[in-house]
Amino acid sequence: MPPFARLFSVTLVVCRYRLLSLLSAHPIRPLLVFLQYLVPTSWRGTGDLSEGERLRLALEELGPIFIKFGQLMATRRDLLPPDWTESLARLQDQVAPFDGGEARRKVQASLPKPFDQVFATFDERPLASASVAQVHPATLLDGREVVVKVLRPGVEMKVERDLRVMGFGARILEKLWSDSRYFHPVRVVRDYQSVIRGELDLEQEAGNSETMRRHFLFSSLLHIPEVHLEVSSRQVMISDRIYGIPVNDIERIKAAGIDPRALAERGVEIFFAQVFRHNFFHADMHPGNIFVNPATPDLPQYMAVDCAIAGRLSRHDLNVLGRMVLAVMREDYPMLVDLVIRAGWSNAPIDRHRFEQEATQLLAPVRSASLEQLEFAPLVLRLFDLAREYHIEAPVQYVLLMKTLVHIEGLGRSIYPQLDIWTVGRPLLEAWMMEEYGPAATLNKLRNRLPEWTAQLPEMPDLLRDALENLRDHPQRQRDLEFRLASNLRHNRRRALAGVGAVALGLLAGIDALLVGSGWAWPLGGTGAVLLAWSLRA
């Protein structure tokens, strides 16, 4: 059950920016647009704002959780138009810090021992503040300088409230609009819920940090500060403080004697190592989270913080990704198209010949460009634009990976504009492919699977017979399934229409109660409540 007070305030903002007018064609769309214009907040109009700007401003007005959702959706060019994603990419998560004394009390309540037995000093002035948490500098009794990350008071309740509102809206949209099956709003919101809930669990962030730190413990490429797990908790995380140069401060990097080209290329090495060697990557590598170690100018080293969002691919997805990137680097476009089709990401039939032609027309000119013009991340974004036209939707982990790649190449080119991610990345990727799928790896896999196959060999005749019988009965089962799906679709549409009607009646009741005062508020509200209860019943 969604929180109705918050749902009402969200509806007012939606009408303020006339977002219902952005919905695709549907028999009920004119009614919704008409009801939208009955809400006083919509009377101001939107001026010359584009669709993307209206969406961005609405999310900013709705608060941090919706802003974070918009930031994640800014990478979903496989689902949303470019105008929308470009506007969403400009969303800013700016939140005033909460009281430092309250932060100190939260830290004290979470510690397994008295405060003065852990900290020698604790600065109540935060180093940084965001929508989910803020960070305070401190010193342990042994003299080690640390930073203390503390969740904002009440943030869990606000997040769950807004997530319920998002989920309710996504369910209504998916049931009412048949075209929404191409971008799965319910699944998109569910994916986002897992991401934002991960940011609320500082124990999970601590685990991500320690995992990534172990991966690069003896490497000069990347440093992850150690987390003090014994005094950290779900709401408080204590880790070593680092003193690095912000990665976007190019002048200080050069003044420290660090070679920009070596630094940029080592960033690409980190990306490929995280994805293909360790299959665990930092998925929030924007400039605020990445620093450069000034103590090692001869071997440039990155320093990363805030590992709340981390990604891991399944074995199958990692294989598909590696072969896709290698196909692009080798200019083998038929192989790329074949991999996309066989991955099963499309929600509609694909015209293979036309898709291959368009992919080739997109990729070939980019690959023949000069070094200064050759950029990998924009190419990936254009591929996602093409994917959206063919209703191809990549898994959410791929989206996090794409976001990381965009940040990595953007950082690398800001440091060294001539960065060639293709030349640096191809040998690393080919070496990984050889380790995973070369002759030695194949023989090793065969040797490991041989006992299992030997044990299953006597059962093969029975399995073959069962498969043939299932194939014979498949047409009838398919017809039964189609009938049940059609019946469920009709039922869900009726429930969705009832839900929309209930929301409309609730809005009219609120307007009458607050502005008109004709006495119809209770009848309208009661009827809306009955409709809503019926639409939400199991």
Side-chain angles (χ1 to χ4, degrees):
M1 185 72 69
F4 290 104
R6 179 59 170 164
L7 185 61
F8 184 73
S9 66
V10 169
T11 303
L12 293 180
V13 174
V14 167
C15 293
R16 158 72 180 88
Y17 292 97
R18 301 183 180 180
L19 299 186
L20 294 176
S21 303
L22 306 184
L23 294 171
S24 59
H26 189 276
I28 203 174
R29 181 179 179 274
L31 173 62
L32 292 177
V33 173
F34 173 74
L35 292 173
Q36 169 183 264
Y37 289 126
L38 293 179
V39 179
T41 55
S42 70
W43 298 347
R44 292 170 53 191
T46 57
D48 296 328
L49 294 174
S50 66
E51 292 182 356
E53 287 300 304
R54 285 154 59 189
L55 185 60
R56 179 181 66 83
L57 292 172
L59 293 177
E60 286 181 346
E61 193 167 321
L62 288 171
I65 305 309
F66 284 87
I67 288 173
K68 282 187 170 292
F69 179 67
Q71 289 172 334
L72 181 65
M73 292 306 297
T75 63
R76 299 307 306 256
R77 290 180 66 143
D78 57 330
L79 301 180
L80 302 178
D83 170 50
W84 292 21
T85 56
E86 288 169 8
S87 295
L88 293 177
R90 294 195 292 273
L91 283 167
Q92 298 296 318
D93 184 11
Q94 297 177 339
V95 181
F98 64 90
D99 179 60
E102 174 67 18
R104 184 188 183 100
R105 288 189 290 273
K106 288 196 71 172
V107 173
Q108 190 164 1
S110 74
L111 292 174
K113 57 181 76 172
F115 193 87
D116 56 5
Q117 293 184 20
V118 177
F119 296 106
T121 64
F122 181 89
D123 193 341
E124 294 186 0
R125 292 170 299 178
L127 281 174
S129 177
S131 57
V132 170
Q134 69 184 31
V135 176
H136 291 261
T139 308
L140 299 180
L141 288 181
D142 62 6
R144 295 177 70 173
E145 292 186 81
V146 296
V147 291
V148 183
K149 186 172 185 178
V150 190
L151 288 185
R152 301 184 75 89
V155 67
E156 297 100 325
M157 182 181 66
K158 293 177 182 178
V159 166
E160 291 302 326
R161 178 199 65 187
D162 283 353
L163 290 180
R164 289 201 301 274
V165 170
M166 286 183 191
F168 176 77
R171 289 193 298 274
I172 291 294
L173 185 63
E174 191 160 298
K175 291 176 180 177
L176 198 60
W177 259 261
S178 58
D179 285 349
S180 69
R181 68 184 184 274
Y182 292 127
F183 59 92
H184 303 296
V186 172
R187 193 165 72 193
V188 168
V189 170
R190 190 183 304 124
D191 290 339
Y192 169 68
Q193 288 174 344
S194 66
V195 172
I196 189 63
R197 283 175 178 148
E199 288 199 66
L200 289 174
D201 186 352
L202 296 187
E203 284 182 333
Q204 177 177 313
E205 179 180 344
N208 291 344
S209 297
E210 283 299 286
T211 299
M212 204 167 294
R213 192 176 76 89
R214 287 195 301 271
H215 289 164
F216 291 90
L217 192 58
F218 302 105
S219 170
S220 61
L221 290 172
L222 179 66
H223 171 75
I224 306 290
E226 181 180 357
V227 177
H228 298 266
L229 297 173
E230 70 282 359
V231 287
S232 296
S233 65
R234 184 179 175 86
Q235 295 204 349
V236 174
M237 188 182 81
I238 302 170
S239 57
D240 285 349
R241 186 173 183 178
I242 61 170
Y243 290 93
I245 303 172
V247 73
N248 53 359
D249 193 341
I250 309 302
E251 294 305 318
R252 282 183 61 190
I253 289 173
K254 292 180 178 178
I258 298 171
D259 179 11
R261 176 174 181 174
L263 180 64
E265 291 181 350
R266 285 169 76 83
V268 177
E269 290 183 47
I270 290 171
F271 172 77
F272 279 91
Q274 285 187 331
V275 176
F276 295 106
R277 188 184 308 154
H278 305 300
N279 191 17
F280 191 73
F281 57 92
H282 193 307
D284 198 18
M285 296 188 76
H286 61 77
N289 289 338
I290 307 298
F291 302 86
V292 180
N293 189 352
T296 58
D298 295 333
L299 285 174
Q301 183 184 51
Y302 288 85
M303 310 169 86
V305 298
D306 195 353
C307 301
I309 306 177
R312 193 192 300 271
L313 299 176
S314 69
R315 197 77 179 169
H316 170 72
D317 287 342
L318 189 62
N319 176 27
V320 171
L321 173 69
R323 296 175 68 187
M324 284 175 61
V325 175
L326 201 56
V328 173
M329 289 182 171
R330 291 175 173 173
E331 303 182 57
D332 189 351
Y333 307 126
M335 172 63 75
L336 174 65
V337 171
D338 186 57
L339 288 167
V340 171
I341 292 175
R342 289 168 58 188
W345 298 338
S346 176
N347 299 307
I350 294 179
D351 183 339
R352 180 194 175 94
H353 178 68
R354 181 166 165 262
F355 182 51
E356 183 177 325
Q357 278 188 324
E358 293 197 25
T360 304
Q361 290 172 0
L362 172 67
L363 294 167
V366 177
R367 288 294 286 119
S368 60
S370 64
L371 185 63
E372 290 76 11
Q373 299 172 327
L374 188 60
E375 297 183 68
F376 193 78
L379 171 61
V380 175
L381 295 178
R382 277 184 271 175
L383 281 173
F384 270 65
D385 288 339
L386 180 62
R388 180 167 48 82
E389 294 178 18
Y390 285 88
H391 306 299
I392 296 170
E393 179 188 354
V396 67
Q397 294 297 324
Y398 273 44
V399 176
L400 292 176
L401 189 63
M402 185 199 75
K403 175 185 173 185
T404 304
L405 175 61
V406 171
H407 283 316
I408 286 289
E409 189 174 42
L411 292 174
R413 284 188 173 261
S414 69
I415 297 168
Y416 181 67
Q418 290 77 35
L419 173 66
D420 183 4
I421 195 173
W422 308 80
T423 302
V424 177
R426 179 169 173 171
L428 301 172
L429 187 58
E430 289 179 335
W432 173 80
M433 292 289 288
M434 183 60 67
E435 290 176 8
E436 291 291 317
Y437 305 103
T442 301
L443 287 174
N444 190 46
K445 291 174 186 176
L446 289 173
R447 184 171 63 251
N448 292 336
R449 296 293 300 274
L450 187 59
E452 178 187 348
W453 291 340
T454 303
Q456 292 177 345
L457 191 59
E459 302 175 11
M460 290 302 296
D462 291 336
L463 293 174
L464 180 59
R465 182 197 61 203
D466 293 343
L468 292 173
E469 289 178 352
N470 287 334
L471 190 61
R472 181 192 61 196
D473 298 336
H474 179 73
Q476 181 59 42
R477 289 201 302 273
Q478 184 74 18
R479 286 191 292 270
D480 293 342
L481 179 60
E482 289 174 358
F483 176 79
R484 289 197 300 272
L485 288 174
S487 177
N488 289 337
L489 181 60
R490 288 193 297 270
H491 179 66
N492 288 335
R493 281 181 175 172
R494 286 195 293 269
R495 291 175 57 190
L497 287 170
V500 171
V503 172
L505 289 172
L507 286 172
L508 293 174
I511 293 170
D512 183 79
L514 296 173
L515 302 175
V516 181
S518 66
W520 280 92
W522 284 108
L524 288 171
T527 305
V530 171
L531 280 174
L532 187 62
W534 181 82
S535 69
L536 295 177
R537 68 182 175 85

